[in-house]
């Protein structure tokens, strides 16, 4: 496909600026930057360019997108409608509070609902993503230990099934990471945890259900082992889709939680828009929260900084419009709809798992929560078809590949999360595609190894693409102006 710089030509435009009605000022001053080489394209060509770009992208609006641990669910269009209301978009964060009472109410209401869902007492919407929420939550834990003059607590325990952002955030927040191996059943090994905790334990980070799609039945024991050692417990809420409205991290013994509004609460994700990773906490941590918090005042809601705040982790109130989307989603679903969405997510994952397990070996064969993990190890050994080849072949069926090679504890892993928003028909088509790929892998492995056969880009060198991205357009000298 042509780049925007390769379209159009000298003199083509689509600007409709009014005539200049102020004195013109020349920029011909020394030290001025070189002339910007902007593309010169007419409106028709621009429109085609962006339509072409949109066609090259695969998103939840194109088809099935079972990216495990990421909860790529459908984002209802009504969320966009409410987030586009001028009452939410045409305001300024420095406006006097009495003129933005509606917006403060959005933050307050979203906070109350999400605190109820998570079993927390307070929440900040400042963090812009899950990883940013982890960092913020860890700073709360750090501030808590420091406030008690217990600053020797430097270690954060992270199980080996954790999302990579967990250890990374802990290091960024100034902690040392203690990795503990999972047991054979994919859950936390209690003995290993008991050995790991001590006077230097600042806390534990855990997601439950975990990244292999299992709910850890020892969760109460896990959180109490950490508490007894004087540490705090952090819940990575990225997998809350499986339990929202049913089980609450606060009741499982967690002190701090982050949510991914752009996963669980139906805001677009990845390249689709900004994210939001609110952090909830139990009341003994609320005075450490960042930013300003809405509080009831004499004449409505006001904004107050918590007394021992860790400071700000982002400007103002975070990505406010994402909160508007998630609040819309919550109010549309209501008290019955929220747990029903979770139940359907779990049902869909188990349905797919059951329909595939005669062919594809499951890493953990017991019933799953919102996602399940296939191990393609045997197929690779016998036919040379690896997880990546199955992922590539799925593209020919119009399916976005599941998460690959994660979690690291499963070899040749394919982690599938169908989500609740897919119909039985879509699941059946996907099951059919997986089964056909397996059978073709037995009969004609070469065909699978050379897939995808129908996509524009076949098998790019992924390491090269990630490590040496070409982000700059090299103007051919002849085109230079
Ligand atoms: C997605 C995810 C994160 C990180 O969230 P981002 O919003 O991508 O920063 C953390 N933990 C788990 C389990 C996740 O799935």
């Amino acid at each position: 496909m042509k780049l925007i710089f390769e379209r159009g030509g000298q003199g083509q435009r689509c600007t409709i600026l009014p005539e200049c009605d102020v004195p013109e000022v020349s920029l011909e001053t020394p030290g001025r930057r070189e002339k910007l080489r902007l593309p010169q394209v007419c409106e028709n060509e621009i429109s085609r360019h962006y339509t072409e770009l949109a066609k090259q992208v695969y998103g939840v609006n194109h088809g099935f997108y079972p990216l495990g641990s990421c909860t790529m669910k459908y984002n209802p269009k009504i969320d966009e409608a409410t987030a586009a209301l001028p009452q939410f978009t045409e305001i300024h964060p420095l406006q006097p509070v009495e003129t933005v009472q509606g917006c403060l109410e959005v933050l307050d209401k979203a906070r109350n609902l999400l605190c109820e869902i998570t079993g927390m007492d307070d929440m900040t919407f400042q963090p812009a993503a899950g990883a940013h929420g982890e960092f913020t939550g860890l700073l709360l834990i750090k501030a808590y230990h420091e406030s008690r003059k217990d600053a020797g607590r430097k270690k954060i325990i992270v199980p080996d099934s954790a999302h990579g952002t967990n250890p990374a955030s802990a290091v960024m927040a100034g902690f040392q990471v203690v990795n503990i191996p999972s047991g054979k059943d994919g859950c936390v090994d209690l003995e290993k945890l008991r050995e790991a905790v001590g006077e230097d334990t600042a806390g534990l980070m855990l997601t439950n259900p975990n990244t292999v799609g299992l709910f850890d039945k020892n969760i109460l024991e896990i959180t109490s082992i950490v508490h007894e050692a004087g540490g705090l417990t952090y819940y990575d809420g990225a997998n809350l889709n499986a339990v929202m409205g049913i089980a609450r991290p606060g009741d499982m013994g967690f002190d701090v939680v982050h949510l991914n509004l752009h996963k669980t609460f139906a805001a677009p994700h990845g390249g689709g828009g900004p994210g939001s990773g609110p952090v909830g906490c139990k009341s003994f941590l609320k005075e450490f929260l960042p930013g300003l918090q809405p509080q009831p005042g004499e004449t409505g809601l006001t904004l107050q900084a918590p007394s021992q705040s860790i400071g700000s982790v982002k400007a103002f109130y975070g990505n406010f419009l994402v909160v508007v989307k998630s609040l819309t989603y919550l109010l549309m679903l209501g008290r019955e709809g929220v747990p029903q969405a979770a139940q359907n997510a779990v049902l869909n994952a188990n349905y797919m798992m059951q329909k595939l397990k005669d062919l594809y070996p499951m890493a953990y064969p017991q019933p799953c929560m919102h996602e399940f993990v296939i191990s393609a190890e045997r197929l690779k050994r016998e036919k040379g078809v690896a997880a990546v080849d199955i992922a590539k072949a799925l593209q020919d069926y119009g399916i976005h590949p599941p998460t690959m090679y994660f979690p690291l504890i499963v070899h040749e892993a394919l982690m599938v999360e169908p989500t609740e928003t897919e119909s039985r028909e879509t699941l059946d088509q996907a099951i059919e595609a997986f089964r056909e790929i397996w059978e073709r892998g037995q009969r004609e492995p070469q065909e699978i190894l050379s897939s995808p056969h129908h996509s524009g880009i076949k098998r790019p060198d992924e390491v090269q693409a990630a490590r040496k991205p070409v982000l700059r357009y090299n103007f051919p000298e002849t085109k230079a102006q």
Side-chain angles (χ1 to χ4, degrees):
M1 159 183 176
K2 276 189 178 174
L3 300 181
I4 189 80
F5 294 101
E6 293 158 352
R7 284 181 177 263
Q10 193 75 28
Q12 284 192 22
R13 343 211 141 299
C14 58
T15 47
I16 36 171
L17 292 178
E19 294 230 330
C20 181
D21 59 356
V22 291
E24 283 194 26
V25 179
S26 166
L27 290 177
E28 300 290 329
T29 44
R32 131 192 116 89
R33 290 193 200 166
E34 68 178 88
K35 197 167 177 221
L36 280 183
R37 293 197 274 193
L38 297 175
Q40 302 195 26
V41 191
C42 65
E43 189 174 309
N44 191 7
E45 285 294 316
I46 286 198
S47 174
R48 285 175 181 161
H49 177 71
Y50 283 106
T51 305
E52 194 57 36
L53 274 181
K55 282 200 290 195
Q56 306 259 333
V57 174
Y58 187 96
V60 271
N61 292 336
H62 291 88
F64 191 45
Y65 204 131
L67 202 61
S69 211
C70 288
T71 310
M72 301 295 288
K73 64 194 203 182
Y74 177 69
N75 309 131
K77 293 291 169 269
I78 188 169
D79 297 355
E80 300 297 329
T82 51
L85 289 172
Q87 291 87 338
F88 294 137
T89 57
E90 294 186 8
I91 50 167
H92 192 279
L94 292 176
Q95 246 173 268
V97 283
E98 51 291 0
T99 65
V100 283
Q101 285 292 306
C103 297
L104 297 192
E105 207 179 311
V106 165
L107 291 173
D108 191 44
K109 207 171 199 128
R111 172 176 62 176
N112 291 342
L113 292 176
L114 293 172
C115 278
E116 192 180 331
I117 289 172
T118 52
M120 293 289 129
D121 299 317
D122 207 348
M123 186 170 280
T124 171
F125 289 102
Q126 263 200 351
H132 196 188
E134 291 167 22
F135 178 66
T136 307
L138 288 162
L139 292 185
L140 299 183
I141 292 178
K142 194 175 193 180
Y144 167 79
H145 290 311
E146 281 172 1
S147 76
R148 292 162 40 96
K149 312 264 178 298
D150 197 4
R153 295 191 175 269
K154 297 277 186 222
K155 294 188 176 160
I156 293 285
I157 300 169
V158 183
D160 59 2
S161 62
H163 194 270
T165 50
N166 289 189
S169 302
V171 170
M172 268 188 76
F175 291 108
Q176 292 155 29
V177 176
V178 179
N179 223 295
I180 53 166
S182 306
K184 276 205 181 60
D185 59 357
C187 295
V188 171
D189 183 329
L190 291 178
E191 282 318 305
K192 292 281 187 310
L193 177 62
R194 282 200 187 92
E195 284 164 23
V197 296
E199 282 178 2
D200 54 0
T201 302
L204 165 86
M205 295 179 89
L206 201 70
T207 180
N208 191 32
N210 63 17
T211 57
V212 296
L214 300 176
F215 190 95
D216 203 312
K217 59 184 188 310
N218 298 321
I219 193 65
L220 291 174
E221 202 168 344
I222 292 167
T223 51
S224 71
I225 291 172
V226 178
H227 282 149
E228 273 160 28
L232 298 188
T233 46
Y234 182 96
Y235 182 88
D236 174 338
N239 293 328
L240 195 80
N241 209 47
V243 293
M244 60 176 181
I246 296 169
R248 310 194 313 164
D251 300 335
M252 299 176 205
F254 286 95
D255 306 305
V256 192
V257 167
H258 89 255
L259 300 175
N260 299 58
L261 297 190
H262 47 283
K263 291 181 182 172
T264 315
F265 296 100
H269 187 185
S276 177
V279 170
C281 63
K282 289 279 176 72
S283 57
F284 71 96
L285 292 171
K286 62 186 265 189
E287 289 308 324
F288 299 115
L289 284 174
L292 296 171
Q293 292 287 88
Q295 300 291 354
E298 301 254 304
T299 54
L301 290 164
T302 61
L303 287 165
Q304 313 252 287
S307 63
Q308 303 171 68
S309 175
I310 56 166
S312 270
V313 295
K314 193 173 190 311
F316 301 107
Y317 317 106
N319 286 325
F320 172 69
L321 293 175
V322 181
V323 183
V324 174
K325 291 178 190 183
S326 294
L327 180 61
T328 308
Y329 175 74
L330 279 171
L331 295 176
M332 291 297 292
L333 284 185
R335 194 175 279 276
E336 292 78 34
V338 170
Q340 207 176 359
Q343 282 162 354
N344 286 343
V346 173
L347 178 65
N348 280 359
N350 278 287
Y351 178 72
M352 264 194 92
M353 185 183 172
Q354 290 304 316
K355 295 275 186 184
L356 292 177
K357 73 175 192 190
D358 59 325
L359 296 185
Y360 288 92
M362 297 294 159
Y364 303 97
Q366 65 264 48
C368 64
M369 295 295 286
H370 59 304
E371 62 193 1
F372 58 92
V373 184
I374 290 170
S375 170
E377 209 175 2
R378 206 180 77 215
L379 192 61
K380 185 180 175 194
R381 203 171 47 238
E382 290 170 3
K383 300 286 170 183
V385 175
V388 61
D389 304 310
I390 298 170
K392 294 285 179 192
L394 281 166
Q395 293 179 16
D396 282 336
Y397 292 84
I399 292 176
H400 192 284
T403 297
M404 303 183 294
Y405 298 103
F406 180 80
L408 304 175
I409 51 178
V410 178
H411 294 145
E412 294 298 324
L414 284 171
M415 194 197 329
V416 185
E417 178 180 4
T419 81
E420 76 282 7
T421 49
E422 298 302 341
S423 66
R424 169 99 182 256
E425 290 70 36
T426 306
L427 296 181
D428 284 337
Q429 280 163 20
I431 290 162
E432 200 47 48
F434 269 94
R435 297 187 68 87
E436 213 173 288
I437 290 169
W438 179 273
E439 273 144 22
R440 287 172 55 208
Q442 304 294 323
R443 270 197 332 270
E444 42 178 31
Q446 280 313 317
E447 275 292 291
I448 301 291
L449 293 176
S450 55
S451 50
H453 299 283
H454 307 300
S455 69
I457 296 173
K458 304 259 178 275
R459 292 203 176 211
D461 180 336
E462 282 155 16
V463 175
Q464 174 102 342
R467 296 282 176 255
K468 294 186 182 156
V470 182
L471 301 175
R472 190 156 177 236
Y473 184 63
N474 273 327
F475 287 96
E477 276 323 303
T478 47
K479 271 210 163 182
Q481 298 160 18

